[in-house]
Amino acid sequence: MDTSGKSPRLREGFHQAAWDEPLILTIGREGRRGVIPPQSGSGISSVVGDVLATIPPSLRRSEPPQLPELSQPEVLRHYSRLSQMVMANNVAVSLGLGTTTMKYNPPIHESLVRSPKLAEVHPFQDEETVQGILEVMFELGEQLKAISGMHKFTLQPGGGSQGIFINALMMKSFHASRGEADQRDEIISTIFSHPANAAAPATAGLKVITLYPGEEGHPELDALKEVISSRTAGLMITNPEDTGIFNPNIAEFVRLVHEVGGLCAYDQANANGILGVTRARDAGFDLCHFNLHKTFSVPHGCMGGAVGAVGVREGLERFLPVPTIESDGSRFYLDYDRPESIGTVRAGVGNPHSVLKAFAWILTMGADGLKQAAHASVLNNNYLAAKVKAIRGASISFLDENPAHRLEQVRYSWETLTEETGVSTMDVHNRMIDYGIQGYFTSHHPWLIPEPFTLEPAESYSQEELDEFAGVLRRVSEEAYSQPEVVKTAPHRSTSDAPLVDGAYSRPAMTWQAFVKQQRA
Amino acid sequence: MTKCRSLGLIVNPVAGMGGSIGLKGTDGTDTLLQAIELGAEPRAARRAIDALRSFERLADRVRFMAPRGEMGARELQECGLRYKEIEVGEGPTTSREDTQRAAEMMVRSRVELILFAGGDGTACDICAVIGDQIPVLGIPAGVKIQSAVFGVSPKATGEIAARFVIEGSTLSRAEVMDIDEEEARRGRVSARLFGYMHVPNRRLLQVAKARSGVEEVDLLEIGRETRSRMRAGTRYVIGPGTTTRAVLQELGIEGTLLGVDVVCDGLIMATDVAEMELLRLVDGYPSMIIVSPIGGQGFIFGRGNQQISADVINAVGLSNVMVIASDAKLASLEGRPLRVDTDDYATNRDLTGYVRVVTGKDREAVYRVAS
């Protein structure tokens, strides 16, 4: 029962900015310019000549591109309006986006990466001129080694999935180095791990065996024993899983896979609840990856480049992608001379600006701070869980069979709400944004838990914000029982009434021309 | 003084007789006679008794009302349970009218719950006369068992009924489904909602069969992958359903959608076979069984494929059972286990644990099985 005693204040008067702003391709006027680059002086042009002559005729346009032609203030106003219509992490509470760890992205990091010492550097400049950047990247590697217990890191992968992909490639290289490449072609993963733990090894040409959970909501030893064999290349597993349940037998899982000669890779996307509490290497893992854009405060997606930092135990570093970042005590350098490396997965060294933000964050927090963040995220999550559980129609997955506390996130279900009112999880999602809260994440596919939603408060939200979030869900639940049509036809206070044209989900328009065609049809 | 509850028991003695021989139900006298001619044996009585065992420890807290002979009285006698006989079920053969008359009499006598042994046909017969007036529980004993009024096994049903006697329960509506049998014999699956009845402890019962939203592309992939694993000289017992049909289609074979077919070296050996013929075909030959779970329900044996009996499974070998299903179908189980409910409890037990499921090209799942 909710015993807080007072209801949180909800944003009854919230309405999202609705600028009714047209697409930029439809505004402006022919001949209008915002920036007029100066002509080169005769001294330059007489030496350089016609630079366009170097472009092969087959690549030249026959006509100029139909770019919009606007003045600077028009461009400024257009994009500012669009930004006002986005429920970004810095305006709306996004703790509903479980598995993505929507913690605070400190703006001070943005001023760090705008320094010309990073922003105006060319990726292929001489190493001697970018020692500072290399030092930051090297030091982040050292920090992640301490956090994970691993021996060496690469920061090259551009996201978690790419990190998992190189883990699969390194496993293959390892087995090939022992003459077992053909024999070991099976990866074992679980249905509640991130889908990339199945998709990435499949892309690398491996077969995938997916364990479904036991009654308690986590994969069981008996399931694993059914499939481990001399064909096992490795285990690729997220823990805790998206249910928020920590597998109590994780060390035994690793031991059993090692026993048959396989390697174990730890998907640490969900590391926020275990930072400073337990380390990948302590559970015996051979490889791991972190999402710097989740656990380490780097902004997600469009707001900044992702990084899947990958760590390996001693003995596997020879397979890491090139170049690695090395130090000889006096200078930092890039090492390309690694004959057994799996190669390169991304241009240059990766995303140095995101690395810098993660590095700055870890320095700010310190070792104690990381542990506090883990504790706070688990506490916040369980506090919120107690409130959500008490909401009519909501339930926590596997709670009856597994009453243990969840860690940093919970997978809930609106199954009862849907049975009793016909309102679905997507309906609730669409209505909650009417209260100024970002819509939550449901679940990866396939949906095992019916009508799912997954919440992950992380450590950055205040108690009042947790209360407000739970209050919004409670309100929407009440609406579902008393006036379901309001929920089913939501949103009502958003940027637009009609979100998508009919059929747009099944045939998304990927270009402006395709969109116009679709509108006409 | 502990309250003594009054329960009704109706056994449809012919329910399930079509299953082992591949008939898709026993509605209609012609089909029943055909079944008897083909050597079908009654199984509803045995299953009803298995369920009633749960009452032996509650014998003085429950009083049954039941029709004569095979329709209930005999089964209760076997378990030593008290009952009041009602004047229904005379004569050598019983019919739908007997079932319905018994149900009506039980409603008039205000029994608190009707326990019945049968399948969807029996459930529909009872639903037609009592609707949601009093709650029911179905002991799964028929061929088609798609409705949501049945327990996952006779024993499980007995336990739920016993719990109802001891502590009562809130009631909820449960779907009563039926397939059009003539359509089914012509190879078209069309389940329809017949109506609703009330049941206790709905969450413990089996789920109504659901369309699992499996995509064509998934079936194609599973069909291809399964075919690529088939070995020369091995006889494959292919269970019913759309997923297994994808295998047949991959082989270019026209099998039966709702029947069991046998294939070897890419050629059809027999279609829509009964249990006896299956045993003849597999005994002594290298063979495998390929089955797919029923969407939503998760049964791999004991529903819709009673021809693949415990004897057939043991003759083929427990390790030679291949389960195929798309991830979408497994997801439709919402975390519930796969289920087995053959007539042999030892075989059911042996099949529990974890099983590998082929879900696509170079993809498998490991899923738990319960009985």
Side-chain angles (χ1 to χ4, degrees), chain A residues 207-212 214-215 220 223 226-227 446 448 450, chain B residues 203 327 330-331 334-335 354 356 362-368:
Chain A
K207 300 181 183 174
V208 178
I209 302 173
T210 303
L211 308 183
Y212 276 71
E215 274 187 334
E220 297 195 336
E226 193 65 37
V227 290
L448 227 71
Chain B
R203 296 213 173 275
D327 276 316
L330 292 179
E334 295 176 352
Y354 278 96
R356 293 172 87 131
D362 293 335
R363 286 190 294 127
E364 289 186 12
V366 182
Y367 207 97
R368 71 193 164 99

Side-chain angles (χ1 to χ4, degrees), chain A residues 173-213:
Chain A
S173 290
F174 172 80
H175 293 305
S177 74
R178 300 160 106 237
E180 292 184 337
D182 290 335
Q183 172 196 327
R184 292 190 183 272
D185 62 353
E186 290 178 357
I187 289 289
I188 300 168
S189 185
T190 72
I191 195 68
F192 281 137
S193 292
H194 189 282
N197 288 287
T203 307
L206 294 161
K207 300 181 183 174
V208 178
I209 302 173
T210 303
L211 308 183
Y212 276 71

